[in-house]
Amino acid sequence: MDLRQGIGLRKLGRTVDEFQQDLLSNLYFRRGTTVESASMRDAYETLSLTVRDHLAERRARTAAAHYASNPRWVYYLSAEYLLGAQLEQNLLYSGTGEIAAQAVKSFGLTLEEIEELDVEPGLGNGGLGRLAACLVDAMATRDIPAVGYGIRYDFGIFKQSLAAGGQAEGPDDWAFQGNPWEFPAPDDRQTVGFYGHTEPVPGSSTRKVWVPGEIVLGEPSHMLVPGYGTDTVNIVRLWRARGSEASFDLSRFSAGQYAEAVQEAVRAENISKVLYPDDSTELGRELRLKQQYFLVSCSLRDIIRRFRLRNESWDDFPEKTVIQLNDTHPTIAIPELMRLLVDEYELDWDRAWSITRRTFAYTCHTLLPEALETWPVHVFERLLPRHLEIIYLINMLFLREVEERFPGDPGRVSRMSIIGEHPERRVRMANLAVVGTEAVNGVAELHSKLLRETVLNDFADLWPAKFQNVTNGISPRRFVKLANPRLSDLITEGLGDDGWLMDLERLAELGSLAGDASFLERWRAIKRANKVDLAAGDPDSLTDVMIKRFHEYKRQQLKLLHIITLYHRIRANPAGDWVPRTVLFAGKAAPAYHAAKNIIRLINAVGATIAADPVVSPYLKVVFAENYNVSLAERIVPAADLSEQISLAGKEASGTGNMKLALNGALTIGTLDGANIEIRARVGAENFFLFGLDAFEAAELQIAGYRPWEHYERDPELREALDAINAGLFGGVGHDVVDSLLGRDEYLTLADYRAYVDCQDEVERAWRDQDRWTRMSVMNTANSGFFSADRTVADYAARIWRVAPVPVAKDR
Ligand code: NBG
């Protein structure tokens, strides 16, 4: 079926000439300007619209195919999406890259200079938001009917810069000049209530009427999410908050009270104003809870609207709908669906509960207790009074079930309760998420096991079958094909075709090339060329990268202690045969997370001291790349030789940067944490630098009583490193870091220091044999196929979602 012909449209340009015509037509009719007066912005918008049309055409065919098949839909609810730059991706996914390059050339432009205007939508913090983006990419690639729902924040993740060696934060006004990739759909706007009170419904014990005290509008727009190598184009639908018409007070305005006249509208719009730049620690802000409910309420109504296009009976709802909760942020969807079904659609409680439970699934992304969201009951009561009543009823019925199954175990009952009592009454969102869903999964083998055995073990006792593992994955299109075109071409040449981009396990075929000297030579040359492009340091030095959010559990401070140790060793023996290293850090710290910001400051101070030292600087360079985001990751990952994955075992749920780096041929130095374990199992222990305590040993040490001082006293190199900081060798910066390490050292940095430094010596021995290193690098790439997000999505589809692909007919 050709929809364009069906509705009398001519075909989109497939030749350079036609593409040029399309550009001109878009420049005139959609930008309203001419070639002579066009700005670079016009060029960017015009090219983007032209490329977008190709995807929009596929989108129309996708929507038609989905409508016709009335499938079970996957609705992915996520407070964050880190989509990355769109233009380059969409040129690739629409297959227009080559004709577009030639067409813009005839206007005296290059794709590269136009791409510079493409601002990435930074609507997420870190791994969780990027995972959401990789999963929607893979769902489209796998032809799974899906919609990703999120919030269209005006300000994305803050812009990080360095000021006096420390992190400074600036606003990220990503869509200030508009966003050509977005389709506003004001018709589908939703109304969201907050505050107010509830009233009983005569004759019903479960139904209530909620009379909200504030009404806000949610206006959606969507961005296209194309699949690769298929015709499916799904969408991510993002909600933006607006005041209602009534929120503008004309009489006050006329009376000169300009600020008061718009205050209600401003208050409404604040809901989607900014992404909380808080990574994995709970932040007790009412506005954040408001954001969460805003996302959930708009999305659920939209999901129901879509369901009703093709279906009638509520009993079919779970057959046609699976809603995946990306962490606890959208968990209020559970009581919200109950409220809609019971209060608005008048279903009885048990039927509504059965529908609700079979509709949702929950992915947990953390093991840090402080990152499991809880909300004070009084905040909930004020903001969402009806939802709190529903949660109480869910909890009462649930705890009755627990008591029946585990009689005489009040400790268990209070641990499992959705309401925590101490030190204040709080709603435990993770408990609610487990109780109200059909499946719960962790994001790597170890993480899922620890969830079952520790954080959620009472729930696993009750419902063992509910708990699953789905190991994370990444998009090979973005993180190899787009990020590392040289390597991508070599792989395609080596394998004979580019089918590996959709079937990443095929990389295993590279294994046989690891013995071919000329192949290894080219492999090495590519890594070097990528380092030259990155221009972070000497391309012949060992490029050692630690790129991720700054958090004490991730232990950037451990890497820093190693750097200081190298510094001392080189100073003590300047004539030594040292391996030149460039250590590159990138990552943001939550603005209020002072300990993490202190580590950033110390990294830069150490880097400055080393740069100023003529003895050490020929061998060691420390670079802090500002404002880590998806685009920067795409430049660093292909250039990395060594991937630092050194979190304290048992703390990193999975990690996904570890996968991107291994896939691009970096060797990992890492602990037995998160997905590192699975990476090591696949690439082979001989191609992975393992060190440190495992999760069990770490937990035992904590229980036995950990004394960081003992390591300081016992290990001269460690002592020298910490003393140097305290002696003011690095500009007097870093006392706070030392205090925390010698105080509690919550993440056992000093306990793992010796093993880490020794393991780094082993890294250097391997590096000195470049042939061996390159073979190890090839083996990492060859055996990373499992970490494709396509596999992750196939796992979700088979085991949790129980959905089948719906193919989209080709355009004839
Ligand atoms: C993060 C984990 C990472 C994991 C990503 C994606 C949160 C709450 N969790 O280890 O810290 O890779 O989620 O699953 O951001």
Side-chain angles (χ1 to χ4, degrees):
M1 166 187 38
D2 182 341
L3 284 168
R4 286 182 64 84
Q5 275 171 7
I7 52 176
L9 294 176
R10 72 174 173 75
K11 286 270 195 184
L12 293 169
R14 280 283 161 197
T15 66
V16 177
D17 279 353
E18 289 165 2
F19 197 87
Q20 232 171 44
Q21 290 299 313
D22 290 345
L23 284 174
L24 282 175
S25 152
N26 286 329
L27 183 71
Y28 291 146
F29 301 122
R30 289 157 93 184
R31 286 299 288 173
T33 186
T34 63
V35 174
E36 292 69 31
S37 46
S39 64
M40 255 330 259
R41 183 78 204 171
D42 290 320
Y44 164 72
E45 296 268 349
T46 301
L47 175 60
S48 301
L49 291 174
T50 308
V51 172
R52 195 184 78 168
D53 284 347
H54 285 257
L55 300 181
E57 186 274 328
R58 277 167 52 187
R59 170 67 196 155
R61 278 186 282 123
T62 304
H66 290 171
Y67 187 85
S69 85
N70 189 19
R72 187 176 204 214
W73 283 85
V74 177
Y75 296 113
Y76 197 79
L77 256 59
S78 178
E80 303 187 12
Y81 290 89
L82 272 174
L83 294 169
Q86 295 292 293
L87 177 54
E88 199 194 1
Q89 168 197 284
N90 290 341
L91 283 163
L92 172 67
Y93 281 57
S94 64
T96 55
E98 271 164 36
I99 52 172
Q102 291 184 50
V104 300
K105 208 156 121 201
S106 66
F107 295 109
L109 298 169
T110 66
L111 278 187
E112 292 69 34
E113 64 186 325
I114 299 176
E115 278 164 9
E116 270 170 35
L117 277 76
D118 197 41
V119 180
E120 74 169 76
L123 308 181
N125 276 292
L128 174 140
R130 182 55 227 176
L131 181 78
C134 282
L135 292 188
V136 292
D137 169 289
M139 285 185 242
T141 298
R142 291 255 159 180
D143 293 323
I144 291 176
V147 176
Y149 284 102
I151 299 176
R152 191 195 178 289
Y153 304 102
D154 291 344
F155 293 90
I157 180 68
F158 64 87
K159 280 210 178 94
Q160 179 200 54
S161 58
L162 291 175
Q167 169 175 295
E169 299 101 26
D172 168 29
D173 205 349
W174 66 284
F176 185 69
Q177 297 205 64
N179 171 20
W181 303 106
E182 212 175 321
F183 294 82
D187 281 8
D188 289 337
R189 97 171 71 78
Q190 302 292 352
T191 302
V192 184
F194 296 102
Y195 308 105
H197 64 276
T198 65
E199 289 169 4
V201 172
S204 170
S205 60
T206 47
R207 270 186 75 205
K208 286 279 188 75
V209 174
W210 174 28
V211 186
E214 181 183 343
I215 296 289
V216 168
L217 301 180
E219 222 172 64
S221 56
H222 59 265
M223 290 178 61
L224 301 178
V225 180
Y228 184 80
T230 169
D231 278 45
T232 296
V233 174
N234 286 335
I235 61 170
V236 165
R237 181 155 248 205
L238 303 173
W239 301 97
R240 187 177 192 176
R242 283 192 59 177
S244 64
E245 257 175 286
S247 66
F248 176 63
D249 189 334
L250 182 60
S251 61
R252 286 188 135 170
F253 195 87
S254 308
Q257 296 175 322
Y258 305 121
E260 293 83 349
V262 294
Q263 71 187 13
E264 208 182 307
V266 168
R267 212 161 70 122
E269 282 160 25
N270 274 344
I271 293 174
S272 57
K273 189 59 77 187
V274 61
L275 166 75
Y276 276 97
D278 177 87
D279 185 63
S280 73
T281 50
E282 182 242 326
L283 193 68
R285 294 284 296 275
E286 184 184 279
L287 187 57
R288 186 157 175 157
L289 184 58
K290 241 174 146 170
Q291 283 187 338
Q292 297 183 352
Y293 180 63
F294 173 73
L295 163 63
V296 154
S297 169
C298 293
S299 306
L300 276 183
R301 285 183 188 276
D302 201 54
I303 290 167
I304 291 171
R305 176 189 64 80
R306 296 168 53 92
F307 170 74
R308 296 186 135 203
L309 292 174
R310 291 297 317 268
N311 307 282
E312 273 153 27
S313 166
W314 281 112
D315 294 317
D316 293 338
F317 192 72
E319 313 308 320
K320 296 294 181 186
T321 314
V322 53
I323 303 177
Q324 187 70 42
L325 305 174
N326 194 30
D327 223 61
T328 50
H329 316 139
T331 303
I332 325 160
I334 293 166
E336 172 68 356
L337 183 58
M338 285 302 287
R339 189 187 69 80
L340 291 168
L341 295 178
V342 173
D343 293 355
E344 298 198 5
Y345 295 104
E346 304 185 23
L347 270 58
D348 73 54
W349 180 275
D350 290 342
R351 187 166 163 228
W353 184 236
S354 157
I355 290 170
T356 298
R357 262 186 142 171
R358 286 181 292 130
T359 297
F360 288 104
Y362 161 50
T363 305
C364 176
H365 293 266
T366 191
L367 281 161
L368 304 181
E370 68 268 29
L372 291 176
E373 284 186 304
T374 62
W375 294 103
V377 162
H378 64 87
V379 171
F380 230 99
E381 191 159 31
R382 215 167 74 83
L383 190 66
L384 300 168
R386 179 57 183 141
H387 296 80
L388 187 63
E389 292 174 358
I390 290 171
I391 289 171
Y392 282 153
L393 189 49
I394 292 174
N395 198 37
M396 194 191 84
L397 297 170
F398 164 62
L399 293 181
R400 207 177 276 167
E401 196 182 326
V402 176
E403 275 160 15
E404 272 165 31
R405 267 290 304 280
F406 303 97
D409 192 348
R412 184 183 292 264
V413 172
S414 81
R415 288 194 304 272
M416 294 179 84
S417 173
I418 297 169
I419 307 295
E421 301 289 338
H422 303 289
E424 64 172 338
R425 302 193 73 220
R426 296 181 81 103
V427 184
R428 298 163 165 167
M429 301 308 272
N431 293 24
L432 177 58
V434 177
V435 173
T437 54
E438 187 169 56
V440 177
N441 75 284
V443 289
E445 293 281 358
L446 175 70
H447 176 233
S448 300
K449 174 170 135 68
L450 292 174
L451 283 179
R452 280 192 306 265
E453 292 175 0
T454 62
V455 186
L456 301 175
N457 73 318
D458 292 317
F459 293 93
D461 286 350
L462 183 62
W463 297 309
K466 199 185 248 202
F467 288 81
Q468 301 210 31
N469 173 60
V470 183
T471 299
N472 283 166
I474 58 174
S475 163
R477 275 75 63 182
R478 185 171 287 275
F479 291 103
V480 188
K481 174 79 182 164
L482 291 172
N484 199 345
R486 293 185 182 101
L487 192 70
S488 172
D489 288 347
L490 181 63
I491 294 171
T492 298
E493 194 191 311
L495 301 189
D497 63 84
D498 67 0
W500 58 276
L501 280 168
M502 287 177 293
D503 179 9
L504 203 61
E505 296 274 13
R506 278 196 55 203
L507 291 180
E509 297 165 30
L510 288 174
S512 60
L513 293 166
D516 174 337
S518 80
F519 184 81
L520 292 180
E521 191 49 50
R522 292 172 70 193
W523 191 272
R524 185 153 58 224
I526 286 168
K527 189 60 90 180
R528 191 177 189 286
N530 291 341
K531 292 198 254 182
V532 170
D533 282 357
L534 178 64
D538 176 1
D540 293 315
S541 65
L542 169 61
T543 300
D544 176 356
V545 312
M546 185 150 189
I547 48 177
K548 50 183 81 247
R549 283 298 283 243
F550 270 79
H551 202 295
E552 289 165 287
Y553 84 78
K554 295 179 188 279
R555 300 201 296 191
Q556 280 93 353
Q557 66 277 19
L558 179 58
K559 175 77 252 174
L560 190 52
L561 290 176
H562 173 239
I563 293 170
I564 298 174
T565 297
L566 289 180
Y567 166 82
H568 283 132
R569 286 181 183 175
I570 298 168
R571 286 210 50 114
N573 179 13
D577 179 20
W578 304 109
V579 168
R581 263 196 210 239
T582 303
V583 183
L584 193 155
F585 290 93
K588 295 173 183 176
Y593 189 178
H594 298 293
K597 291 171 95 171
N598 290 337
I599 294 168
I600 293 181
R601 188 177 293 282
L602 182 56
I603 286 172
N604 285 292
V606 169
T609 301
I610 290 173
D613 187 316
V615 172
V616 181
S617 57
Y619 302 107
L620 190 56
K621 181 173 179 189
V622 178
V623 179
F624 188 98
E626 292 168 56
N627 201 38
Y628 186 53
N629 59 12
V630 180
S631 306
L632 185 54
E634 287 173 38
R635 292 177 47 218
I636 296 173
V637 165
D641 294 311
L642 186 64
S643 161
E644 299 279 349
Q645 307 301 336
I646 61 178
S647 52
L648 174 62
K651 298 293 175 191
E652 188 70 90
S654 162
T656 45
N658 48 1
M659 301 171 184
K660 293 162 199 166
L661 285 156
L663 182 57
N664 280 274
L667 308 195
T668 304
I669 182 165
T671 49
L672 286 176
D673 201 14
N676 293 355
I677 296 173
E678 288 155 83
I679 292 175
R680 179 167 175 267
R682 290 194 157 72
V683 306
E686 69 286 8
N687 299 312
F688 186 106
F689 299 100
L690 176 71
F691 75 95
L693 301 166
D694 67 21
F696 181 75
E697 292 163 340
E700 286 221 304
L701 179 56
Q702 302 272 32
I703 292 165
Y706 168 54
R707 285 177 294 277
W709 263 98
E710 289 177 0
H711 296 277
Y712 171 84
E713 280 165 1
R714 210 184 299 143
D715 192 321
E717 282 195 312
L718 173 59
R719 194 161 58 239
E720 193 181 19
L722 292 169
D723 287 350
I725 301 170
N726 267 350
L729 203 63
F730 308 111
V733 170
H735 296 288
D736 26 35
V737 177
V738 175
D739 288 350
S740 129
L741 291 176
L742 290 178
R744 203 149 90 85
D745 188 17
E746 196 181 344
Y747 300 103
L748 309 183
T749 311
L750 303 194
D752 269 345
Y753 166 86
R754 179 45 49 195
Y756 178 57
V757 169
D758 290 348
C759 190
Q760 286 283 5
D761 293 343
E762 215 182 292
V763 168
E764 295 191 353
R765 280 193 289 278
W767 176 257
R768 286 175 197 278
D769 180 350
Q770 280 289 301
D771 278 343
R772 174 178 166 215
W773 184 279
T774 309
R775 271 194 311 275
M776 293 168 79
S777 168
V778 173
M779 294 316 285
N780 267 267
T781 304
N783 294 305
S784 291
F786 176 78
F787 301 103
S788 170
D790 300 345
R791 187 270 316 150
T792 307
V793 157
D795 279 357
Y796 277 106
R799 292 195 275 117
I800 294 184
W801 301 336
R802 286 176 277 106
V803 294
V806 174
V808 174
K810 293 256 171 265
D811 186 17
R812 276 176 292 119

